[in-house]
Amino acid sequence: MQIRDIATAPMRGQNAGTSGLRRKTRDYMAPLFLENYVQAILDGTGGAAGKTYVLGGDGRYFNAAAIQIILRILAGNGADRVIVGQGGLLSTPAASHLIRKTGADGGFILSASHNPGGIDADFGLKYNMANGGPATETMTAAIVAASEAITRIRMADSADIDLDALGAVAIGAMQVRIIDPVADYLALMEDLFDLDAIAALIAGGFTLRFDAMHAVTGPYARALLVDRCGASPDSLMNATPLPDFGGGHPDPNPVWAADLMGLMMGPDAPDFGAASDGDGDRNMIVGRGCYVTPSDSLALIADRAELAKGYRRGLAGVARSMPTSGAVDRVAAAKGIACFETPTGWKFFGNLLDTGQITLCGEESAGTGSDHIREKDGLWAVLMWLNIVAVTGQSVADLMAAHWRTYGRNYYSRHDYEDVDSAVAAVLMADLRGRLDSLPGQSFAGLRVTAADDFAYADPVDGSVSTSQGLRLHFAGGARAVLRLSGTGTSGATLRVYLEQLVAAPGDLHQDAGDVLAPLAAAVDAVAGISGRTGRTAPDVKT
Ligand code: G1P
Ligand code: ZN
């Protein structure tokens, strides 16, 4: 086997954002684009010589071909071992677990998460570190620097390998092991949750529906929910992974999982519904007639996690991304544990998890997880809820109602304005940022601003400081709005507006969130001039 150096030069558009590098699939397939990026990752992380990697993806278009290319680059750069999911599949949580379990030096996860797949849709690659988590700010900066200095790609001249055949195969001196992508993850869930209790719940007539959205969790959900816990096979929807996710957006929220939502809100609703995204790290939880916001889910799990065997010793602390609602803060206060507020993106939880300062963490964007891995974990959240339901014997709606009675309710919604002209979005944010200091005391559409700032975070472990992480506006009466620009979009800018209103009066806990938040939405438009600047009269997506 020969190793060749292919001359290359820095490429535009390879600077990774919030969560790996997402681009149009055709960009990734362009000559040397993927190769260039992978070589930059290796160069920026001290080279591959003698190292072990985990490799797999969510099965979207170009997944298998990209794996073959990455294997040739790893062999060319002297990697020792690579662990690959059969068929090229690995969910993000399963990959994170495998990195940790095998002591690998890092992992390549091929996914654009919840973005659509296909040759005309999106592709992505995320590099995870030895702790199983996304590259930190420091490591990302080193990779970016390497991508700007790159001159050659080192590749083995080897043939494709059979990704479907379990077992070991060599590429030159590099060992490749093709493994069952589900088995290790299943064992981990068995350690954390009382799957027998969930099986007994289901055997007793409890019904559920899980929507895998034609993405990677299909095989995982079948192994866990059907084969292990005894749910009927038709409890699974869209359980076969497809390269284009059946043409849908594999994003588990009420907009993109509309079929499941319709079922759960209708007369034939099962007891429990859930969905996960393209790479299996996001989750949606919905009871019969009761959608649970991700912020509420995090708070309820924080309150009840001790009912699951993996969390019986209690929680060290919790963390949430800044735009996530403050519901979990009040649970933490009641329990007397620490609650951290971090910038958007799972990588900011890594140091807190590694140092044992937090046990649970979550984001409003359908991400919930714990210290069992270093990624959010969709099926973990599903099993946690099922475990809580099994132990308490209460429905999802009853659990939420009891939670709000105890802690009050944070009505919450995120409004997304997609594909906004990048310059318009930048000016909107810059203008508001420039006026923050003058806002307290002023009223907009009848709501008075009490405080306003531009969120910055100093990591308590490595001391790194991340600035400009979102503009926060607090209003009189317990309302908060956050404005920030997405770091994961692939065309134009996406403006995210997060709206939250705390309500504590027992009689007001079951209102329509849209009604409760309408005055706040009007105030934000008045202060930031969203409709005037973008020409949009309404957001594209409300979740
Ligand atoms: C979005 C979510 C964020 C999440 C990220 C990766 O990022 O808002 O919470 O960590 O996807 O799944 P954004 O597009 O807002 O930068
Ligand atoms: Zn995802």
Side-chain angles (χ1 to χ4, degrees):
M1 188 195 71
Q2 277 207 325
I3 291 171
R4 287 191 299 140
D5 273 0
I6 302 167
T8 189
M11 286 193 181
R12 288 160 61 94
Q14 282 183 325
N15 291 359
T18 319
S19 184
L21 181 70
R22 294 182 201 167
R23 286 294 176 269
K24 291 293 165 199
T25 309
R26 286 184 195 275
D27 291 345
Y28 257 104
M29 295 170 68
L32 297 189
F33 185 93
L34 170 68
E35 291 85 340
N36 210 298
Y37 181 41
V38 172
Q39 183 68 54
I41 291 171
L42 299 182
D43 293 346
T45 53
K51 289 186 180 170
T52 297
Y53 294 96
V54 167
L55 173 59
D58 64 9
R60 70 180 60 222
Y61 189 90
F62 193 50
N63 188 65
I67 287 178
Q68 302 286 2
I69 292 170
I70 295 171
L71 284 171
R72 281 193 273 277
I73 300 173
L74 291 176
N77 282 271
D80 187 35
R81 274 196 316 143
V82 188
I83 297 152
V84 185
Q86 188 181 27
L89 292 184
L90 275 180
S91 76
T92 288
S96 180
H97 176 52
L98 270 177
I99 294 170
R100 297 166 65 77
K101 192 186 161 204
T102 61
D105 295 280
F108 295 85
I109 304 173
L110 304 169
S111 173
S113 190
H114 51 285
N115 293 16
I119 188 159
D120 291 314
D122 297 342
F123 193 79
L125 166 58
K126 179 164 64 165
Y127 181 71
N128 280 27
M129 313 181 301
N131 73 345
T136 54
E137 294 276 83
T138 316
M139 185 173 281
T140 304
I143 293 170
V144 170
S147 78
E148 283 160 1
I150 195 165
T151 58
R152 54 96 189 92
I153 297 154
R154 190 152 281 180
M155 265 182 118
D157 247 341
S158 55
D160 284 358
I161 62 165
D162 180 357
L163 296 175
D164 292 324
L166 290 173
V169 43
I171 301 180
M174 183 175 88
Q175 294 298 314
V176 179
R177 195 154 57 85
I178 310 278
I179 57 137
D180 174 353
V182 177
D184 293 287
Y185 182 77
L186 192 79
L188 177 64
M189 295 301 114
E190 194 84 58
D191 282 348
L192 297 176
F193 300 113
D194 189 350
L195 300 185
D196 288 335
I198 297 174
L201 177 76
I202 291 171
F206 183 89
T207 52
L208 63 96
R209 197 65 66 95
F210 177 82
D211 188 352
M213 307 190 90
H214 285 306
V216 78
T217 50
Y220 293 86
R222 176 157 297 139
L224 275 161
L225 300 175
V226 177
D227 299 343
R228 174 64 180 87
C229 295
S232 75
D234 57 9
S235 305
L236 304 184
M237 299 164 68
N238 306 319
T240 306
L242 296 176
D244 67 348
F245 308 121
H249 269 250
D251 195 0
N253 63 44
V255 177
W256 296 116
D259 290 350
L260 177 66
M261 279 301 283
L263 176 72
M264 296 307 298
M265 298 301 146
D268 302 320
D271 294 300
F272 183 87
S276 190
D277 74 327
D279 59 331
D281 57 357
R282 293 186 172 201
N283 75 87
M284 179 174 86
I285 303 294
V286 44
R288 179 183 290 140
C290 172
Y291 167 70
V292 181
T293 70
S295 297
D296 275 346
S297 178
L298 175 64
L300 186 125
I301 290 174
D303 195 32
R304 307 276 190 146
E306 286 158 40
L307 298 176
K309 70 178 176 194
Y311 303 88
R312 209 145 275 158
R313 66 197 177 283
L315 309 177
V318 294
R320 63 166 169 86
S321 69
M322 181 274 282
T324 303
S325 96
V328 72
D329 302 34
R330 288 193 306 290
V331 176
K335 287 184 180 293
I337 57 175
C339 179
F340 296 86
E341 186 177 33
T342 57
T344 295
W346 207 260
K347 62 183 167 193
F348 292 101
F349 297 133
N351 284 336
L352 296 170
L353 291 164
D354 282 350
T355 52
Q357 300 189 66
I358 60 170
T359 308
L360 296 180
C361 46
E363 296 196 272
E364 52 67 40
S365 53
T368 332
S370 88
D371 58 0
H372 67 293
I373 53 171
R374 293 296 179 271
E375 290 278 4
K376 53 193 176 244
D377 190 343
L379 276 163
W380 173 91
V382 172
L383 294 173
M384 177 64 95
W385 268 91
L386 289 173
N387 202 150
I388 292 168
V389 169
V391 173
T392 60
Q394 292 180 43
S395 70
V396 171
D398 289 347
L399 284 165
M400 269 335 304
H403 187 89
W404 294 331
R405 274 197 305 277
T406 306
Y407 295 104
R409 176 172 178 185
N410 292 68
Y411 286 92
Y412 191 85
S413 184
R414 186 176 97 185
H415 292 184
D416 291 336
Y417 299 81
E418 295 177 343
D419 213 352
V420 174
D421 183 274
S422 300
V424 169
V427 170
L428 185 154
M429 291 295 285
D431 175 64
L432 185 59
R433 185 173 285 119
R435 289 185 289 127
L436 285 177
D437 289 346
S438 70
L439 296 179
Q442 292 190 54
S443 289
F444 297 88
L447 283 188
R448 186 169 52 83
V449 177
T450 55
D453 70 352
D454 186 357
F455 181 59
Y457 177 71
D459 188 294
V461 179
D462 67 20
S464 64
V465 176
S466 305
T467 55
S468 296
Q469 297 296 315
L471 307 180
R472 299 192 286 194
L473 307 174
H474 292 268
F475 294 87
R480 183 187 78 151
V482 175
L483 290 88
R484 60 177 283 279
L485 298 181
S486 160
T488 60
T490 54
S491 74
T494 296
L495 171 66
R496 303 204 194 284
V497 180
Y498 309 80
L499 307 170
E500 175 180 0
Q501 172 73 58
L502 173 63
V503 171
D508 295 336
L509 297 176
H510 294 276
Q511 305 173 70
D512 177 75
D515 294 344
V516 174
L517 296 168
L520 178 59
V524 172
D525 193 38
V527 69
I530 297 171
S531 47
R533 290 173 190 274
T534 65
R536 311 279 174 91
T537 49
D540 298 280
V541 180
K542 289 185 188 181
T543 51

